[in-house]
Amino acid sequence: MDALKDLLRNALLEMGRGRYAEAVALLEPHAQVASNELQRYLGESLRRSGCVQEAIAPLMQALALKIDDVDAYLQLAFALQSLQMKAEAAECFRTVAALRPDSVMAQAYQAHGDQQCARWLDFDENLRALHAVIRAKPDDAADEFGVPFALATLPHSAADLLKVARLSTRFLSRGIATLPPVTAVDKPKLRIGYLSSDFHAHATAALMVEVLERRDRERFEVLLFSHGPDDGSPLQQRIRAACERFIDVGDLDPAGIAARMRAEGVDIAVDLKGHTAGSRFTALAARPAPVQVAWLGFPGTCGADFIDYVIGDAVVTPLGDAPFYSERIAQLPRCYQPGDSTRRIVPPPRAGLGLPDDALVLLSANVVLKITPAVFDAWMAILHRLPQALLWQLSGGEQADAQLRAEAASRGIAPERLVFMPPVPMTEHWNRLAAADVALDTWPCNGHTTTSDALAAGVPVVTLRGDGFASRVAESLLTQARLSELVCETPEAYVDLVYALADRAGQAGQAGRAERAPPTIPAWIDSPAFARDLEALYERMWARAAAGLPPEALPARTPDNTSD
């Protein structure tokens, strides 16, 4: 018994450090032991180390040994999702919600699981249950992860998101000790440390790379703290070359990452993940740097008292929303999302994409979980008004795709008018978007990189103005691209505008589409100016810290607004 306890303790230590392959090596020789914990740890470690199919058997064994093991159901659900068995994953989440009806985590995962497979039968009930458990939760609770990302993709109030973010951050950062304080002082060069798992062929790296290349190297030194894969991609090579140092912290737990950041003398620590998958933002709970910032990853507050600022802009983070952020709002004078003006789009022929040359193609490149019944109703209304149009949707897997076709049929739309685009490498995806005529945004969670990708491909994006960060990203991007007329106030106006744009595109026909060129990207994406704006914001943060002043809101500066 003591030997088993020691084994489980050592495996858990490895898992806590993110060393899942090492945990598998410890546990696998004992895979025949009838221990619920051992089987669950083995299943989770296999899943997280990329052996998803192999994870199923130990997780099922864990449940055979303890049928009400909530954590085993969750791990099984995550594994099934990775295997594109999202309907089965949703049933696991539903079991978790039945076992833990008062849990924010359980209700959030139930709603999130149903969204991933477009199962809307219980949409309203899921929302009601989730909102109810959030509001019943004590304000100071720290007993569970509340899945803030799931809430951000569903209708919610800003107060509820702040509450769930705080709950989750308290739970995730428990036991992380604060490092001895370090004082900010005036200095000729600031060291910026970015923390993320996305410094590879990933949307975040694609957004940031040119800004890092165009930064002021005399005033700023940049270190990348990576806990993600080494994929050897051209994008990863490019982002590494743009910075002074690339530091692999993948084998470190949050406390270890914090210690490394402190040892490297980071002045401003910038987390790029927040409450998104694979995040280790709780490293900042140890206070490794004098100034700590959240940017780009999570569209909302982290609910973390140890993060001083959230970087946004006047659209996504208006100062009036300050009560719903644990951080102080720091506004950029342009859209908070950077871009890469060096991207070049080479549109492929429609035939190779499964698209008829003479069709009106309405693009939806957002993931399926962002599609709510209200959004789909609007899209089907558009298809009714445009009989020559089809919906070109990013595939959510066979189950989700079939469910969306069934939902279309129930609304009187022929299922074949939904065409699904399979996963492809990033550059190929960017190019194929140019085959569309109009892009349809989702709400309450907009397309973020999805919107900027479509705009870069020359495709107009129609959005609906909403409340909160996640609901305003498309508006911010469209405003930056000088296309604010594509931002609608009501679903009815959204349907009317898509109809007008699509009808105009239909009249132009195939020749008109062939003549359409992508927008002049350098006029929309100005990376040198963005870098200067971002650096100016860092300078303002540092000046306050060096003066011994607490963090405070930093409004966007304009020519007539040059003081804090």
Tab-separated table of all heavy atoms in Angstrom, residues 465-486:
chain	number	residue	atom	x	y	z
A	465	ARG	N	-22.999	43.933	-32.981
A	465	ARG	CA	-22.408	44.562	-31.799
A	465	ARG	C	-22.973	43.928	-30.538
A	465	ARG	O	-24.175	43.746	-30.394
A	465	ARG	CB	-22.673	46.056	-31.788
A	465	ARG	CG	-22.170	46.771	-30.525
A	465	ARG	CD	-22.410	48.268	-30.578
A	465	ARG	NE	-21.526	48.912	-31.534
A	465	ARG	CZ	-21.929	49.563	-32.613
A	465	ARG	NH1	-23.226	49.631	-32.892
A	465	ARG	NH2	-21.060	50.125	-33.433
A	466	GLY	N	-22.092	43.587	-29.584
A	466	GLY	CA	-22.533	42.968	-28.344
A	466	GLY	C	-21.960	43.651	-27.129
A	466	GLY	O	-21.359	44.734	-27.215
A	467	ASP	N	-22.148	43.028	-25.992
A	467	ASP	CA	-21.630	43.536	-24.729
A	467	ASP	C	-20.468	42.657	-24.283
A	467	ASP	O	-20.562	41.431	-24.306
A	467	ASP	CB	-22.716	43.517	-23.648
A	467	ASP	CG	-23.857	44.470	-23.963
A	467	ASP	OD1	-23.584	45.557	-24.504
A	467	ASP	OD2	-25.015	44.119	-23.685
A	468	GLY	N	-19.392	43.276	-23.852
A	468	GLY	CA	-18.252	42.526	-23.355
A	468	GLY	C	-17.199	42.299	-24.419
A	468	GLY	O	-17.446	42.394	-25.629
A	469	PHE	N	-16.008	41.994	-23.951
A	469	PHE	CA	-14.828	41.850	-24.814
A	469	PHE	C	-15.097	40.889	-25.968
A	469	PHE	O	-14.898	41.231	-27.142
A	469	PHE	CB	-13.673	41.350	-23.936
A	469	PHE	CG	-12.298	41.507	-24.520
A	469	PHE	CD1	-11.271	42.024	-23.750
A	469	PHE	CD2	-12.014	41.114	-25.820
A	469	PHE	CE1	-9.990	42.162	-24.267
A	469	PHE	CE2	-10.742	41.235	-26.344
A	469	PHE	CZ	-9.718	41.771	-25.565
A	470	ALA	N	-15.512	39.660	-25.649
A	470	ALA	CA	-15.652	38.625	-26.686
A	470	ALA	C	-16.652	39.011	-27.760
A	470	ALA	O	-16.573	38.534	-28.898
A	470	ALA	CB	-16.058	37.300	-26.041
A	471	SER	N	-17.594	39.901	-27.415
A	471	SER	CA	-18.648	40.300	-28.345
A	471	SER	C	-18.297	41.535	-29.163
A	471	SER	O	-19.113	41.986	-29.965
A	471	SER	CB	-19.939	40.595	-27.564
A	471	SER	OG	-20.439	39.425	-26.970
A	472	ARG	N	-17.089	42.081	-28.950
A	472	ARG	CA	-16.748	43.338	-29.625
A	472	ARG	C	-15.468	43.247	-30.454
A	472	ARG	O	-15.022	44.246	-31.010
A	472	ARG	CB	-16.575	44.454	-28.586
A	472	ARG	CG	-17.817	44.763	-27.773
A	472	ARG	CD	-17.503	45.848	-26.777
A	472	ARG	NE	-18.619	46.131	-25.886
A	472	ARG	CZ	-18.482	46.434	-24.599
A	472	ARG	NH1	-17.280	46.460	-24.061
A	472	ARG	NH2	-19.536	46.690	-23.860
A	473	VAL	N	-14.850	42.080	-30.509
A	473	VAL	CA	-13.576	41.968	-31.215
A	473	VAL	C	-13.753	42.244	-32.704
A	473	VAL	O	-12.960	42.970	-33.313
A	473	VAL	CB	-12.936	40.592	-30.977
A	473	VAL	CG1	-11.694	40.425	-31.838
A	473	VAL	CG2	-12.580	40.416	-29.508
A	474	ALA	N	-14.790	41.676	-33.314
A	474	ALA	CA	-15.006	41.911	-34.745
A	474	ALA	C	-15.256	43.392	-35.007
A	474	ALA	O	-14.756	43.946	-35.999
A	474	ALA	CB	-16.172	41.065	-35.245
A	475	GLU	N	-16.013	44.046	-34.133
A	475	GLU	CA	-16.237	45.486	-34.299
A	475	GLU	C	-14.920	46.248	-34.249
A	475	GLU	O	-14.679	47.166	-35.054
A	475	GLU	CB	-17.179	46.007	-33.219
A	475	GLU	CG	-17.423	47.501	-33.318
A	475	GLU	CD	-18.292	48.059	-32.206
A	475	GLU	OE1	-18.745	47.284	-31.346
A	475	GLU	OE2	-18.506	49.300	-32.199
A	476	SER	N	-14.048	45.892	-33.319
A	476	SER	CA	-12.758	46.570	-33.207
A	476	SER	C	-11.932	46.389	-34.478
A	476	SER	O	-11.341	47.339	-35.002
A	476	SER	CB	-11.991	46.025	-31.991
A	476	SER	OG	-10.736	46.650	-31.863
A	477	LEU	N	-11.892	45.150	-34.993
A	477	LEU	CA	-11.135	44.885	-36.217
A	477	LEU	C	-11.732	45.615	-37.421
A	477	LEU	O	-11.003	46.195	-38.238
A	477	LEU	CB	-11.105	43.382	-36.480
A	477	LEU	CG	-10.153	42.588	-35.583
A	477	LEU	CD1	-10.542	41.106	-35.601
A	477	LEU	CD2	-8.715	42.767	-36.038
A	478	LEU	N	-13.052	45.604	-37.533
A	478	LEU	CA	-13.698	46.282	-38.654
A	478	LEU	C	-13.493	47.793	-38.577
A	478	LEU	O	-13.311	48.460	-39.606
A	478	LEU	CB	-15.187	45.940	-38.682
A	478	LEU	CG	-15.513	44.510	-39.125
A	478	LEU	CD1	-16.947	44.145	-38.782
A	478	LEU	CD2	-15.253	44.323	-40.615
A	479	THR	N	-13.510	48.334	-37.378
A	479	THR	CA	-13.246	49.762	-37.210
A	479	THR	C	-11.826	50.086	-37.653
A	479	THR	O	-11.590	51.084	-38.359
A	479	THR	CB	-13.461	50.169	-35.741
A	479	THR	OG1	-14.808	49.886	-35.366
A	479	THR	CG2	-13.188	51.651	-35.547
A	480	GLN	N	-10.873	49.244	-37.251
A	480	GLN	CA	-9.480	49.449	-37.663
A	480	GLN	C	-9.331	49.366	-39.180
A	480	GLN	O	-8.545	50.107	-39.783
A	480	GLN	CB	-8.585	48.402	-36.994
A	480	GLN	CG	-7.115	48.523	-37.319
A	480	GLN	CD	-6.492	49.798	-36.769
A	480	GLN	OE1	-6.909	50.286	-35.721
A	480	GLN	NE2	-5.519	50.355	-37.481
A	481	ALA	N	-10.104	48.470	-39.812
A	481	ALA	CA	-10.044	48.295	-41.266
A	481	ALA	C	-10.930	49.294	-42.009
A	481	ALA	O	-11.067	49.194	-43.234
A	481	ALA	CB	-10.455	46.873	-41.629
A	482	ARG	N	-11.530	50.238	-41.276
A	482	ARG	CA	-12.404	51.264	-41.856
A	482	ARG	C	-13.613	50.646	-42.544
A	482	ARG	O	-14.029	51.067	-43.628
A	482	ARG	CB	-11.612	52.156	-42.815
A	482	ARG	CG	-10.457	52.881	-42.126
A	482	ARG	CD	-9.606	53.661	-43.086
A	482	ARG	NE	-8.471	54.266	-42.402
A	482	ARG	CZ	-7.469	54.902	-43.019
A	482	ARG	NH1	-7.490	55.012	-44.337
A	482	ARG	NH2	-6.468	55.408	-42.333
A	483	LEU	N	-14.159	49.651	-41.867
A	483	LEU	CA	-15.351	48.968	-42.377
A	483	LEU	C	-16.434	48.920	-41.300
A	483	LEU	O	-17.159	47.944	-41.175
A	483	LEU	CB	-14.990	47.542	-42.819
A	483	LEU	CG	-14.051	47.422	-44.024
A	483	LEU	CD1	-13.557	45.982	-44.177
A	483	LEU	CD2	-14.759	47.876	-45.302
A	484	SER	N	-16.539	49.981	-40.525
A	484	SER	CA	-17.480	49.972	-39.408
A	484	SER	C	-18.932	49.879	-39.858
A	484	SER	O	-19.816	49.554	-39.060
A	484	SER	CB	-17.283	51.218	-38.534
A	484	SER	OG	-17.410	52.398	-39.312
A	485	GLU	N	-19.198	50.127	-41.141
A	485	GLU	CA	-20.572	49.991	-41.641
A	485	GLU	C	-21.020	48.527	-41.648
A	485	GLU	O	-22.219	48.251	-41.827
A	485	GLU	CB	-20.684	50.570	-43.051
A	485	GLU	CG	-19.929	49.814	-44.125
A	485	GLU	CD	-18.470	50.249	-44.277
A	485	GLU	OE1	-17.974	50.977	-43.389
A	485	GLU	OE2	-17.845	49.867	-45.290
A	486	LEU	N	-20.109	47.583	-41.429
A	486	LEU	CA	-20.466	46.167	-41.371
A	486	LEU	C	-20.830	45.710	-39.962
A	486	LEU	O	-21.072	44.524	-39.747
A	486	LEU	CB	-19.312	45.318	-41.911
A	486	LEU	CG	-18.882	45.611	-43.355
A	486	LEU	CD1	-17.761	44.673	-43.777
A	486	LEU	CD2	-20.062	45.491	-44.311
